[in-house]
Amino acid sequence: MKRLNNRYVMLLALLVIWLGFTSPPANAVEVYFNDFEGTAPWAEWSAGGKATTPSGRHFLGTHATYGFGNETTILTLTGLPNHTQATVSFDLYIIQSWDGQNASYGTDFWSFQPQGGSEFKTTFGIANGPQSYPDPYPADHPARTGEKEHNALGYGFYGDSVYQLSFTFAHSGDLAVSFWAAGLQGITDESWGLDNVKVEVNAAAVPIPASLFLFGSGLLRLIGIRRKGQ
Ligand SMILES: [Ca+2]
Ligand SMILES: [Ca+2]
């Protein structure tokens, strides 16, 4: 009886190890990350090179210090694993005297949109408000609502905000997402940039192979026979 118990435990342990090695991968798979600390150019971006904040952080933008103005950049990724959903996360730098939908100095729009998907269009304010973020435009919130960092980037003219944004959407195939701003005053007055851009997809679960079921049922049958024979 003792021998059977030992064999039973050993077979069960083998089964657990086998299942452990062949179980489906975690749902979210990181397929892209860029903190823009490396060497430009980055061909996956339609516009933007290495920009540097006064505090010394490197980020994506077309202007060396200010990033982007009233411009669009598109991130394109190909050869992704099969998936049905994507998540794009990033830090958004809102730089200097943005005015939200202030009647005199706005409206300062910023937008994110996956190709073929719905647009998230909002406004940000630093010098003036109200701003729409964290909701889509139009909505009224005080300037800087939801910022993650306050004047951390070292800009002089009204300062800066860092926001952490994340969008999850139904998606398959190649990925193209656009980021743009419109309505801004001059580049030394109001600008923006991207940092720590991460893309994750929910890679399809790997089906458990039929041979594994046969192996498992074989083990159980073996245990059953031995037990009966005892
Ligand atoms: Ca960076
Ligand atoms: Ca403005």
Side-chain angles (χ1 to χ4, degrees):
M1 195 62 183
K2 192 160 188 288
R3 269 184 65 200
L4 175 68
N5 278 349
N6 285 344
R7 191 181 296 126
Y8 180 73
V9 168
M10 190 186 77
L11 289 171
L12 268 183
L14 278 173
L15 182 61
V16 167
I17 290 167
W18 180 286
L19 283 170
F21 279 122
T22 56
S23 58
N27 206 30
V29 177
E30 184 177 308
V31 292
Y32 180 77
F33 178 77
N34 199 337
D35 61 8
F36 307 105
E37 302 298 317
T39 305
W42 297 289
E44 66 274 21
W45 292 92
S46 68
K50 191 170 186 168
T52 308
T53 67
S55 67
R57 290 191 208 178
H58 300 297
F59 66 105
L60 185 74
T62 52
H63 302 263
T65 305
Y66 298 105
F68 295 107
N70 292 312
E71 296 168 88
T72 300
T73 188
I74 299 169
L75 171 64
T76 302
L77 299 176
T78 59
L80 302 179
N82 289 338
H83 61 280
T84 57
Q85 195 176 70
T87 298
V88 179
S89 312
F90 53 93
D91 290 340
L92 174 64
Y93 293 179
I94 295 294
I95 297 170
Q96 302 195 129
S97 66
W98 286 56
D99 305 295
Q101 55 263 17
N102 178 272
S104 302
Y105 303 105
T107 299
D108 297 347
F109 286 111
W110 185 88
S111 162
F112 170 90
Q113 185 170 25
Q115 192 172 62
S118 55
E119 181 180 26
F120 178 77
K121 180 179 173 183
T122 191
T123 68
F124 290 97
I126 287 182
N128 293 291
Q131 70 175 35
S132 293
Y133 187 85
D135 291 313
Y137 175 82
D140 280 6
H141 301 287
R144 294 184 183 254
T145 297
E147 67 179 1
K148 185 181 78 167
E149 293 181 278
H150 186 95
N151 295 347
L153 304 178
Y155 292 92
F157 189 54
Y158 290 94
D160 48 77
S161 293
V162 178
Y163 292 87
Q164 197 163 41
L165 277 67
S166 184
F167 298 93
T168 297
F169 46 92
H171 186 268
S172 60
D174 294 343
L175 182 85
V177 288
S178 69
F179 308 77
W180 63 254
L184 304 184
Q185 290 159 267
I187 190 70
T188 61
D189 194 334
E190 300 170 351
S191 62
W192 59 283
L194 300 172
D195 202 1
N196 301 317
V197 179
K198 182 166 76 174
V199 180
E200 295 165 294
V201 297
N202 67 327
V206 177
I208 296 174
S211 59
L212 178 61
F213 284 116
L214 291 174
F215 176 79
S217 59
L219 280 180
L220 292 174
R221 196 175 306 120
L222 180 66
I223 291 163
I225 287 167
R226 291 288 167 109
R227 184 170 275 170
K228 273 179 202 160
Q230 198 67 18

